[in-house]
Amino acid sequence: MRLTKISAMAFAALIAGAGVATADESAELSIEGKTIPTRAEAPAYLENIDEVISGWVYRSDETQTLQADDFDNPAFVFVDTGADLFAEADGSAGKSCKDCHENVEDFAGLTTTLPRVNEAGELETLTDLVNECRTERMGAEPWKYSGTQMTAVTALIGLQSRGMPVNVAVDGPAAPFWEKGKELYYTRVGQLDLACANCHEDNYGNMIRADRLSQGQINGFPTYRLKNAKLNSVHGRFKGCMTNVRATPYKEGSDEFEALELYVASRGNGLAIETPSVRN
Amino acid sequence: MAKGVKPRVKVPKSASAGDSITIKTLISHKMESGQRKDSDGKIIPRSIINRFTCDFNGENVIDVTIEPAVSTNPYFQFDAKVPEAGEFKFTWYDDDGSVYEDTKAITVE
């Protein structure tokens, strides 16, 4: 056997080397040989856009390629950690997630419907569900909203729904939360006086300094960002955006962000789940 | 043993005899260089993977010495010719003496 080529590199070096190539908007996303649609017809309640588009479309070729292979996708290091945490007993009950949820595959389809309104009339996200299990059934401490453990486990659970279309409920008991989220989406905030819609509805596809604006879809969350080399939660991203427009962000897990998460998720109804996605 | 260390390897399941295949490996490791200081000004002790090897049916394919400048989660990608069916064995050596191993079998069509 002869060694033909050696290329050794650390992930960080790989990332630093990635250029700012213009994204190919007609590219098709194929993960492990399975094609995942990145565009869908906009739901009827979106008055100002006709097509919902995944943020993947606007990334550079190199970033797009990273998501096509589960080995190259750096998020899978965290998904593996998530699988370990899933099987690890914790808390006074001495139970792990796996003791009740035998197969993590059974969660297929769950994230397509989240956030949702529960029987008590509260809006719940995947993070709420995980922490509810931890505090009430495992007798363990809740995890930090955007902590490594939480994002790892939510990425593992989200992965089971990959390729399935987002389908959150916007009517019935969800309607008041959805309306609240919509109001937040269109309300200008901060010193820059910008609403979510000013960038992600009016200007998607255009440049914002050296980067391209996407529609701000959350179908790929938790998402691995090259800028901080970790998984990022939806609320963490909301916070980042609010800080960027010089506003005081709401707290992660707050009612405001949960309502906004529902509304933003509903803007992607029909789009396929990409968890865990890779973005810059 | 350092925390959260997990090797990952991708090898095709089968190949034609004499074919060159691409192998990808990654091990999650914090790769603390030994150059950094903590908030008290004390040096954080070095803790890295210092050697990585790959063997095929007992024959060495690649043997890499890793230095502290290599970042978190070292990733190695290389090509190898497969003359016969067999097993790739991957070994990572940690500074603290731990050895992490993974094996992947390959068949020849």
Side-chain angles (χ1 to χ4, degrees):
Chain A
M1 186 180 354
R2 197 168 61 89
L3 184 66
T4 49
K5 196 178 90 189
I6 301 174
S7 58
M9 67 195 97
F11 260 121
L14 180 73
I15 289 154
V20 216
T22 352
D24 177 6
E25 282 197 31
S26 60
E28 266 202 351
L29 173 59
S30 166
I31 300 176
E32 298 285 300
K34 200 178 148 206
T35 308
I36 287 185
T38 50
R39 289 163 188 271
E41 199 185 324
Y45 46 77
L46 290 192
E47 291 144 14
N48 306 318
I49 53 175
D50 303 324
E51 192 181 30
V52 288
I53 307 167
S54 162
W56 179 84
V57 170
Y58 299 109
R59 301 281 57 94
S60 68
D61 292 346
E62 294 86 346
T63 313
Q64 289 188 340
T65 318
L66 278 177
Q67 206 184 312
D69 182 305
D70 283 352
F71 193 89
D72 291 341
N73 184 341
F76 275 82
V77 171
F78 300 92
V79 172
D80 280 354
T81 321
D84 289 345
L85 288 166
F86 196 80
E88 192 181 291
D90 196 6
S92 55
K95 285 202 280 190
S96 73
C97 308
K98 218 179 160 79
D99 287 329
C100 296
H101 309 281
E102 211 173 303
N103 293 314
V104 71
E105 289 83 13
D106 294 345
F107 284 120
L110 174 69
T111 51
T112 61
T113 59
L114 292 172
R116 66 182 178 202
V117 178
N118 63 14
E119 280 163 8
E122 293 159 349
L123 190 63
E124 60 187 11
T125 62
L126 181 56
T127 311
D128 295 336
L129 291 174
V130 172
N131 267 344
E132 189 192 312
C133 264
R134 285 186 60 80
T135 52
E136 285 175 26
R137 282 174 276 281
M138 292 166 67
E141 287 290 308
W143 277 329
K144 235 180 105 193
Y145 206 92
S146 294
T148 352
Q149 295 135 319
M150 182 56 87
T151 49
V153 168
T154 50
L156 175 75
I157 295 171
L159 169 68
Q160 313 309 322
S161 310
R162 190 164 69 180
M164 298 179 180
V166 178
N167 185 24
V168 295
V170 299
D171 45 11
F177 297 102
W178 186 79
E179 288 294 343
K180 184 179 171 190
K182 183 176 179 183
E183 196 185 317
L184 285 165
Y185 193 87
Y186 287 100
T187 306
R188 287 173 179 269
V189 288
Q191 285 183 326
L192 299 191
D193 205 24
L194 289 169
C196 308
N198 295 125
C199 288
H200 298 291
E201 182 169 280
D202 303 342
N203 280 297
Y204 64 86
N206 293 337
M207 299 296 285
I208 182 163
R209 304 190 74 177
D211 197 10
R212 291 186 79 202
L213 281 166
S214 72
Q215 286 189 345
Q217 298 290 356
I218 55 171
N219 57 321
F221 275 84
T223 190
Y224 179 88
R225 294 193 71 192
L226 301 171
K227 73 173 266 186
N228 57 14
K230 67 179 181 85
L231 287 175
N232 292 260
S233 69
V234 178
H235 292 199
R237 193 67 193 89
F238 287 165
K239 239 171 91 176
C241 257
M242 286 191 82
T243 312
N244 288 349
V245 300
R246 318 276 187 271
T248 308
Y250 298 109
K251 291 215 159 34
E252 290 176 347
S254 63
D255 293 347
E256 287 85 358
F257 272 169
E258 293 202 339
L260 186 60
E261 181 177 346
L262 170 66
Y263 178 70
V264 175
S266 82
R267 291 181 67 93
N269 264 358
L271 215 53
I273 297 272
E274 283 174 37
T275 308
S277 62
V278 185
R279 301 288 186 262
N280 53 347
Chain B
M1 191 168 129
K3 255 177 67 186
V5 180
K6 195 160 188 150
R8 306 180 71 217
V9 177
K10 188 173 185 177
V11 178
K13 284 195 176 60
S14 66
S16 310
D19 239 16
S20 178
I21 56 154
T22 301
I23 296 174
K24 294 173 177 179
T25 73
L26 181 147
I27 185 159
S28 52
H29 194 280
K30 60 182 178 342
M31 297 293 280
E32 187 58 60
S33 70
Q35 303 286 329
R36 300 198 308 158
K37 287 174 181 165
D38 63 14
S39 50
D40 302 328
K42 288 198 203 92
I43 283 181
I44 305 170
R46 180 182 127 158
S47 167
I48 65 166
I49 300 276
N50 55 41
R51 184 176 172 218
F52 165 65
T53 63
C54 170
D55 296 300
F56 183 69
N57 290 347
E59 189 190 349
N60 186 251
V61 181
I62 185 174
D63 191 339
V64 188
T65 307
I66 309 172
E67 303 290 350
V70 171
S71 330
T72 313
N73 305 343
Y75 172 84
F76 293 95
Q77 178 181 328
F78 50 93
D79 290 357
K81 264 189 186 164
V82 186
E84 65 209 18
E87 196 175 63
F88 280 102
K89 186 178 173 204
F90 306 89
T91 319
W92 292 263
Y93 298 86
D94 198 312
D95 268 354
D96 62 14
S98 317
V99 174
Y100 313 102
E101 284 178 355
D102 201 356
T103 54
K104 283 278 179 277
I106 186 164
T107 56
V108 165
E109 287 159 354

